Amino acid sequence: MVTCAGCSCLCTDIVVKDKVFNACRRGASIFRNAENNKAKPKVDGKEVDFDTALNKAIELISNSKNLAVYGLDTVPLEAQELAIKLAEKKEAFIDDNSSFCLGDFVEMILKKEIPTTTLDEVKKNAYVIFYWGTDPYNSLSRHLSLYTYYPRAGKRQRGYEEDRFLVVVDVRKSHTAKLAKKNARFIQVNNDLELIDGFISALDGKAGNYFKDVSRIISEMKRADFNVIFGGLGLKYGLNSDYSRFLEMVNKMNEISNVYFLPAGFHANMRGFNELMFEKTGFVNRYSFREGKASKDFEFKNLILNDEIDTALIIGTDPLNSLPFEVARKLSKIKKIVIDPKNTFTARTADVVLPSAITGYDQGGTMVRSDGVRIEVEPLKEGDVSDISILKRILEGI
């Protein structure tokens, strides 16, 4: 069996033979299409041998006055460590997708501002399970079956029919919300803070917003000593970077029962990058080694919009495809070195392309699951060039 690095579930039970077994649609696609659309070593759009591309990358990075290192959420910890060393050596900016994804939640967990747990404990113990602003049916396809709503394990041997209570909070009736039928509640919100205020009012013994739903959920939470909230991007943006009322609600919930929080829905090793940065700097992302601090101004898209960088080292991500058009347009005008196994949109416009390996397919290493559990990933086969070997050679060359 091999590990799928398609998302932060990091499923370890994947079997790849003539067909792919146990994987979700996204995970199966990674293994089935691993040999398709592969990147080639290139300089200025022309195919060259790997060492020529590597030497050009070293030259661009060495000559850069304001370098940004970006991406890294799909590569192993060992490669992330080398990229952080490189950024430190060049006094560069470093950031990943968590700056506009769930990095704020991970930082609160690492600072111990909110109680958390592991997916294995959720599987054995959780009764009320919130999915708030996330749709795991599509974004983390095996989350519900492996760890939360459907498993029969530990104290929850009667499964979702009697031993789990599902709460889905979203602005629309997502596919996950459609599962909320028996032992479940779906709450459609226009404003997350209104629902949070509703919970706080009810916990204070007062009638407030969403009183009927909130009262029923609090009653269910009191039946168990283990409940969990999974928060997604919908919750993050609904709170608009002000987490004080949400933290107040979780603290009040913990006065009646044990309630834990876990982020849901990000890239395979985003939490790994956040943890390494936190150990090194005390921050999880948006960091400048020249300034010695983190700032919203150092978020990758803001660096580009404000013309703060002359060169970007982009590893395992495709920002031209994912960032807003005005950012992508400016990014296309600066020097770019792309390290990626695939010929992405960004790779097609890069000054230098260095093809790398796919974690779990032709590259191994250590990755960190969304709950902080470290997973050792074994490759299905050995590839030619790993992210680790590329970054090691660049670090030695600059």
Side-chain angles (χ1 to χ4, degrees):
M1 287 189 282
V2 294
T3 299
C4 172
C7 75
S8 58
C9 283
L10 291 173
C11 298
T12 57
D13 60 346
I14 310 303
V15 176
V16 182
K17 294 182 178 175
D18 295 335
K19 295 182 179 179
V20 181
F21 298 93
N22 299 334
C24 67
R25 184 172 57 185
R26 179 197 294 179
S29 177
I30 290 172
F31 292 100
R32 288 174 185 152
N33 298 310
E35 299 296 333
N36 299 334
N37 192 33
K38 294 185 77 172
K40 303 285 186 185
K42 289 183 180 177
V43 173
D44 297 329
K46 296 179 181 176
E47 194 168 328
V48 297
D49 64 81
F50 187 87
D51 284 347
T52 299
L54 183 72
N55 290 333
K56 185 64 179 179
I58 291 169
E59 178 190 324
L60 290 180
I61 293 171
S62 298
N63 293 335
S64 171
K65 302 296 182 188
N66 293 294
L67 174 74
V69 180
Y70 178 67
L72 294 160
D73 294 331
T74 58
V75 302
L77 283 180
E78 293 82 355
Q80 293 174 340
E81 285 177 329
L82 291 167
I84 293 170
K85 284 182 181 177
L86 191 157
E88 185 179 20
K89 188 174 181 178
K90 281 292 296 181
E91 294 187 334
F93 303 100
I94 188 165
D95 193 23
D96 75 326
N97 297 291
S98 72
S99 58
F100 61 85
C101 190
L102 300 178
D104 290 350
F105 289 139
V106 176
E107 186 161 318
M108 284 191 286
I109 288 170
L110 297 178
K111 288 181 175 176
K112 303 187 187 307
E113 294 175 347
I114 192 167
T116 193
T117 186
T118 66
L119 290 170
D120 301 296
E121 290 300 314
V122 169
K123 180 177 181 176
K124 290 187 289 186
N125 300 305
Y127 178 59
V128 176
I129 300 160
F130 285 77
Y131 281 107
W132 195 321
T134 183
D135 182 15
Y137 183 94
N138 287 301
S139 60
L140 300 165
S141 296
R142 301 183 75 205
H143 208 254
L144 290 109
S145 59
L146 282 179
Y147 298 115
T148 64
Y149 191 45
Y150 295 114
R152 301 173 191 276
K155 293 180 181 178
R156 305 296 160 201
Q157 294 295 331
R158 289 173 293 173
Y160 75 98
E161 294 97 333
E162 298 180 41
D163 246 353
R164 310 277 192 188
F165 191 90
L166 178 66
V167 179
V168 179
V169 180
D170 213 322
V171 296
R172 60 184 173 83
K173 194 159 190 178
S174 64
H175 285 101
T176 303
K178 290 177 182 175
L179 300 173
K181 294 176 181 174
K182 186 178 181 182
N183 296 327
R185 272 286 189 278
F186 166 54
I187 304 177
Q188 188 165 9
V189 292
N190 294 317
N191 183 328
D192 293 275
L193 285 172
E194 288 179 357
L195 179 58
I196 289 168
D197 287 342
F199 272 109
I200 291 173
S201 295
L203 290 163
D204 286 337
K206 303 172 186 173
N209 302 319
Y210 301 93
F211 183 71
K212 185 178 177 182
D213 286 327
V214 165
S215 298
R216 170 72 193 281
I217 293 165
I218 290 174
S219 174
E220 294 292 339
M221 292 172 79
K222 289 178 178 175
R223 294 179 56 190
D225 61 355
F226 196 113
N227 307 291
V228 62
I229 300 171
F230 290 97
L233 272 179
L235 176 61
K236 171 191 164 76
Y237 287 105
L239 297 177
N240 197 25
S241 300
D242 181 1
Y243 302 101
S244 57
R245 292 290 279 172
F246 180 70
L247 292 175
E248 181 183 349
M249 181 197 74
V250 174
N251 287 335
K252 280 189 175 292
M253 285 178 168
N254 271 284
E255 292 174 5
I256 62 163
S257 181
N258 292 322
V259 180
Y260 304 94
F261 177 83
L262 277 168
F266 46 68
H267 294 300
N269 204 22
M270 182 182 288
R271 177 149 179 175
F273 176 79
N274 290 151
E275 291 195 359
L276 287 178
M277 284 298 295
F278 191 77
E279 289 167 11
K280 179 75 179 177
T281 68
F283 302 95
V284 299
N285 51 29
R286 305 165 181 155
Y287 193 79
S288 165
F289 277 103
R290 184 173 301 165
E291 301 285 343
K293 65 178 184 180
S295 166
K296 184 83 174 172
D297 292 339
F298 304 151
E299 190 172 326
F300 186 62
K301 70 176 180 64
N302 291 333
L303 292 171
I304 296 166
L305 288 173
N306 296 327
D307 300 315
E308 294 288 340
I309 55 176
D310 57 31
T311 307
L313 174 59
I314 298 164
I315 305 165
T317 190
D318 187 10
L320 280 186
N321 196 39
S322 58
L323 292 179
F325 175 74
E326 58 183 323
V327 182
R329 186 175 60 178
K330 279 204 162 189
L331 177 59
S332 67
K333 296 176 181 175
I334 66 172
K335 299 289 184 185
K336 293 181 292 299
I337 301 139
V338 170
I339 301 174
D340 202 289
K342 295 292 185 179
N343 185 29
T344 63
F345 189 28
T346 308
R348 286 175 218 160
T349 66
D351 298 89
V352 179
V353 179
L354 293 165
S356 61
I358 300 173
T359 308
Y361 180 73
D362 51 0
Q363 163 176 267
T366 310
M367 304 190 93
V368 182
R369 210 168 57 186
S370 60
D371 56 352
V373 172
R374 297 200 171 198
I375 307 285
E376 295 301 324
V377 178
E378 294 292 332
L380 188 63
K381 67 172 193 175
E382 287 297 333
D384 294 331
V385 187
S386 69
D387 291 281
I388 300 165
S389 64
I390 293 171
L391 287 165
K392 194 176 287 183
R393 290 180 67 182
I394 292 175
L395 192 57
E396 290 168 353
I398 61 172

